[in-house]
Amino acid sequence: MKAGSRKPVIGLALGSGAARGWAHIGVIEALAEMGIQPQVVAGTSIGAFVGAAYAAGQLQPLKSWVKTLGWKDILGFLDVTLGDAGLIQGDKLFDFVRNHMPDGRIEALPMPYAAVATDLYTGQEVWFREGPLLQAVRASIALPGLFTPIEHEGRWLVDGGLVDPVPISLCRAMGAEVVIAVNLNGGLVGRHFQLKSPGRDRTEPGTGSWAAWSQRIRESLNGKSAQWLSGLLGKDRKEPGLFDVMAGSINIMQDRITRSRMAGDPPEVHIAPRLAHLGIMEFDRAEEAMAEGRAATQRMKGHLELCLNRGSR
């Protein structure tokens, strides 16, 4: 680097992707090992969650927690609500999150942070750059049809992935000169249904596959609850249930929106973990997701070095 040159401001845009989002932890750790320290971080949905932990200096506690998650733990967080605006109220999950993440204000964090949510009525993109941290995360992660929306300043907010699955433009608005974008939505279309097809489903214990998950859940319930759940999961592997329709629709939407947004505002570095085989709720596969996040970052090492050196001036 020439004398008098300076390093560019690096922004980290962490994308949506539900359970695939644990890959963000592996990405951040791999970047640190390369000596790359982002100065700003923006996140959408699960990216907002992991990004908040990172900005608050709580990434290691989060990693330790997600590594212990099993399917029974995940079921314990799902406070099912019938008749409301989502299948899951989300209170149990966020009560737990509140105990593992500082409940402060965004502007008080050690590094600049922002989260993306969507105004349910206007379709507008909502940027949280100040205010209560947990409220911002809760709004950004409110996946439509799954988690209930959150009311904020007279607006009903849902998942930011509806409008901006990978918040590159938000990173730039925060002053980033080089944006490292982590896109978890590649290769998703149709993948959820392919994994349910006969001959493709993995049934080994602990794999987190659709068949194993649905069977475990049904065994945990009885009578009317199990019958109701069959409508969500589908009666068999050939027939899509409500959950399949939701997951498949969200995958299509996020893939198309991600392509469009990134074409209009491409990042300097695009990291794309190969995790299309992970289901939307398979949060118990954190080790696998984190390992692929790390591997995807290593695959981009040469390009990262090139972009950062080019950006130094």
Side-chain angles (χ1 to χ4, degrees), residues 200-221:
R200 298 195 59 156
D201 186 63
R202 296 181 297 166
T203 56
E204 296 86 355
T207 61
S209 66
W210 175 85
W213 254 85
S214 58
Q215 183 61 32
R216 286 166 172 169
I217 296 173
R218 287 187 178 94
E219 289 173 354
S220 302
L221 302 173

Side-chain angles (χ1 to χ4, degrees), residues 70-76 78 80 88 208-234 243 281-282 284:
W71 68 274
K72 288 185 178 180
D73 299 305
I74 298 167
L75 284 180
L78 306 185
V80 176
I88 300 167
S209 66
W210 175 85
W213 254 85
S214 58
Q215 183 61 32
R216 286 166 172 169
I217 296 173
R218 287 187 178 94
E219 289 173 354
S220 302
L221 302 173
N222 55 33
K224 293 183 179 179
S225 296
Q227 185 177 5
W228 172 78
L229 192 67
S230 291
L232 295 181
L233 298 175
F243 196 79
M281 290 294 290
E282 293 179 331
D284 56 331

Side-chain angles (χ1 to χ4, degrees), residues 128-151:
F128 282 89
R129 299 181 62 176
E130 59 184 22
L133 176 63
L134 288 180
Q135 188 174 43
V137 173
R138 176 66 178 87
S140 185
I141 211 167
L143 198 62
L146 188 60
F147 286 103
T148 54
I150 183 171
E151 186 177 13

Side-chain angles (χ1 to χ4, degrees), residues 142-166:
L143 198 62
L146 188 60
F147 286 103
T148 54
I150 183 171
E151 186 177 13
H152 174 73
E153 297 181 351
R155 311 166 86 177
W156 285 101
L157 303 180
V158 292
D159 197 297
L162 288 176
V163 289
D164 195 3
V166 187

Side-chain angles (χ1 to χ4, degrees), residues 24-171:
H24 291 316
I25 299 174
V27 170
I28 293 170
E29 289 184 335
L31 289 174
E33 291 168 2
M34 297 176 190
I36 299 172
Q37 181 69 47
Q39 284 81 54
V40 300
V41 59
T44 296
S45 196
I46 189 67
F49 180 29
V50 176
Y54 178 49
Q58 296 295 312
L59 192 66
Q60 284 305 310
L62 176 63
K63 178 183 178 181
S64 297
W65 170 54
V66 303
K67 287 171 66 176
T68 68
L69 283 177
W71 68 274
K72 288 185 178 180
D73 299 305
I74 298 167
L75 284 180
F77 294 137
L78 306 185
D79 42 353
V80 176
T81 173
L82 299 178
D84 285 333
L87 295 176
I88 300 167
Q89 189 69 32
D91 291 342
K92 289 183 180 180
L93 174 61
F94 281 91
D95 282 345
F96 188 87
V97 171
R98 190 174 290 111
N99 293 328
H100 289 75
M101 187 180 294
D103 190 9
R105 295 184 65 82
I106 293 172
E107 55 268 36
L109 291 171
M111 68 182 296
Y113 165 84
V116 181
T118 303
D119 187 311
L120 183 61
Y121 293 143
T122 68
Q124 291 180 322
E125 187 173 337
V126 178
W127 289 356
F128 282 89
R129 299 181 62 176
E130 59 184 22
L133 176 63
L134 288 180
Q135 188 174 43
V137 173
R138 176 66 178 87
S140 185
I141 211 167
L143 198 62
L146 188 60
F147 286 103
T148 54
I150 183 171
E151 186 177 13
H152 174 73
E153 297 181 351
R155 311 166 86 177
W156 285 101
L157 303 180
V158 292
D159 197 297
L162 288 176
V163 289
D164 195 3
V166 187
I168 299 165
S169 57
L170 176 52
C171 262

Side-chain angles (χ1 to χ4, degrees), residues 245-260:
V245 174
M246 287 170 49
S249 300
I250 289 168
N251 286 346
I252 292 170
M253 174 197 71
Q254 292 197 131
D255 176 69
R256 297 296 183 263
I257 295 173
T258 300
R259 290 171 185 263
S260 177

